[in-house]
Amino acid sequence: MKTTLTKRMTFCAGHRLFNPGFSDEKNREVFGDCANPGGHGHNYVLEVTVSGEIDKDTGMIINLKEMKKIIENEIISKVDHRNLNIDVDFMKGVIPTTENFAQKIWAILDKSFEGKLLNKVVLWESENNRIEFSR
Ligand code: NI
């Protein structure tokens, strides 16, 4: 039996989807309105799931306060109200699709949750689109 615990957090960020190696026409063909030069924003929802044993002394898999602090420090504080193309070091040189963004978030959090297994990262770009990375 596996027990998981999921923390949901929200943030706003802007981005523009384009490949600098493509012509303007090709970018428009591939990314549509998402390639508009001025960019646009999303209200993202991030769901982070860890799995592990329930600690006998605390009754918890991980203290939610600690989990929130890790996600806040490692991700939210770096991306909230930022432009993913310009302001976010871990997104430099990466097309800020939800796929690439979620993959970076996974890699960062996987290192951050010492001893607690990161089980899943779900990143909702809108209420209709989400990307999942899981073990
Ligand atoms: Ni977008």
Side-chain angles (χ1 to χ4, degrees), residues 57-87:
D57 294 328
T58 65
M60 303 173 185
I61 297 174
I62 184 172
N63 192 315
L64 271 171
K65 276 198 298 191
E66 183 193 337
M67 190 171 176
K68 182 182 177 185
K69 196 161 79 179
I70 291 171
I71 301 168
E72 176 70 40
N73 289 348
E74 299 295 330
I75 308 294
I76 307 290
S77 67
K78 295 175 180 169
V79 300
D80 192 30
H81 287 73
R82 306 293 165 93
N83 182 320
L84 301 177
N85 298 84
I86 298 168
D87 303 325

Side-chain angles (χ1 to χ4, degrees), residues 77-130:
S77 67
K78 295 175 180 169
V79 300
D80 192 30
H81 287 73
R82 306 293 165 93
N83 182 320
L84 301 177
N85 298 84
I86 298 168
D87 303 325
V88 179
D89 284 347
F90 69 78
M91 293 298 290
K92 287 272 155 63
V94 175
I95 301 171
T97 57
T98 318
E99 290 90 330
N100 282 339
F101 194 17
Q103 189 175 40
K104 293 289 187 185
I105 291 171
W106 170 277
I108 291 166
L109 292 180
D110 198 29
K111 283 183 197 154
S112 304
F113 283 104
E114 291 169 28
K116 301 290 174 190
L117 194 60
L118 184 64
N119 180 261
K120 197 197 295 193
V121 165
V122 181
L123 183 63
W124 295 80
E125 188 187 62
S126 74
E127 61 186 21
N128 297 318
N129 305 317
R130 73 168 193 266

